[in-house]
């Protein structure tokens, strides 16, 4: 009787369809960008975006250029 239960269990496990998992493509890492700003009468280089710089330094912030290296 025990063998019959083991065989039935094995057959039920084998009859379950395999679940397919979608393959995700590898993504390249985004290069870290830094930006040159004029804030509080100084030149600053930061990884923050313009909105974050305005919150930190007030609305008198101007953005010059962004770089990756």
């Amino acid at each position: 009787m025990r063998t019959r239960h083991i065989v039935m269990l094995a057959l039920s496990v084998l009859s379950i369809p395999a679940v397919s998992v979608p393959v995700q493509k590898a993504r390249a890492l985004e290069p870290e960008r830094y930006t040159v700003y004029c804030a509080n009468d100084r030149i600053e280089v930061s990884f923050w975006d313009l909105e974050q710089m305005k919150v930190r330094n007030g609305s008198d912030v101007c953005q010059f250029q962004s770089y990756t290296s």
Side-chain angles (χ1 to χ4, degrees), residues 1-10:
M1 187 61 121
R2 181 176 166 96
T3 306
R4 182 176 176 190
H5 288 297
I6 293 173
V7 169
M8 293 301 286
L9 179 64

Side-chain angles (χ1 to χ4, degrees), residues 33-45:
R33 298 188 68 80
Y34 64 93
T35 306
V36 180
Y37 297 99
C38 175
N40 299 326
D41 296 326
R42 297 183 317 204
I43 302 296
E44 291 191 28
V45 177

Side-chain angles (χ1 to χ4, degrees), residues 25-66:
K25 293 182 181 180
R27 290 185 279 164
L29 293 175
E30 288 288 323
E32 205 165 20
R33 298 188 68 80
Y34 64 93
T35 306
V36 180
Y37 297 99
C38 175
N40 299 326
D41 296 326
R42 297 183 317 204
I43 302 296
E44 291 191 28
V45 177
S46 177
F47 290 105
W48 294 336
D49 64 14
L50 181 59
E51 292 303 315
Q52 291 169 327
M53 285 296 289
K54 285 183 177 182
V55 167
R56 182 177 167 100
N57 295 303
S59 62
D60 191 25
V61 175
C62 60
Q63 179 178 346
F64 291 122
Q65 185 67 35
S66 289

